[in-house]
Amino acid sequence: MSRSRAYTRDLAYRKAKRKKRISDSWSFDNIPYYKYLHQYSKGKIHCSCGFCMSKTRNKKYRRRHIHANYSPSINYKHSDLKKVQAMDDNEREYYSF
């Protein structure tokens, strides 16, 4: 099924607006990353360090590679980490005599 040009334009516009919002939130000096909105839909707005590309379960890169720019294998979000710690605390209370 082929998509129309209007659909593709709309998706590119939405993607560009989202990337602009993300880059503006990380900007320190309020200078835009790109001059025009269309440039956001074509380029990437993050670096390739381990922090920017972190996943919750980074199964592909478990061992330390030559480049060593990958995040740890399990990298929980803050909310998930709080839930895990709460479950651990409940388990300690249950098994403590």
Side-chain angles (χ1 to χ4, degrees), residues 7 11 30 39 51 61-62 67 73 75 86:
Y7 179 79
L11 280 182
N30 294 332
Q39 291 173 317
F51 295 112
Y61 305 106
R62 288 191 185 267
H67 302 295
S73 294
N75 187 19

Side-chain angles (χ1 to χ4, degrees), residues 46-81:
H46 60 86
C47 64
S48 298
C49 72
F51 295 112
C52 292
M53 62 179 257
S54 65
K55 307 288 185 214
T56 302
R57 301 243 179 222
N58 199 1
K59 294 179 182 178
K60 196 172 188 180
Y61 305 106
R62 288 191 185 267
R63 293 183 303 247
R64 186 175 210 103
H65 287 276
I66 296 169
H67 302 295
N69 65 339
Y70 300 108
S71 61
S73 294
I74 297 177
N75 187 19
Y76 291 113
K77 293 188 302 186
H78 181 68
S79 60
D80 292 339
L81 191 58

Side-chain angles (χ1 to χ4, degrees), residues 7-23 33-46:
Y7 179 79
T8 308
R9 260 194 320 269
D10 182 52
L11 280 182
Y13 177 72
R14 281 192 270 162
K15 182 168 68 168
K17 281 183 62 171
R18 179 181 171 274
K19 286 183 176 183
K20 180 166 175 39
R21 187 179 67 242
I22 290 171
S23 70
Y33 196 74
Y34 291 116
K35 188 174 181 181
Y36 303 108
L37 186 64
H38 177 70
Q39 291 173 317
Y40 286 99
S41 68
K42 294 296 181 181
K44 69 176 193 172
I45 58 166
H46 60 86

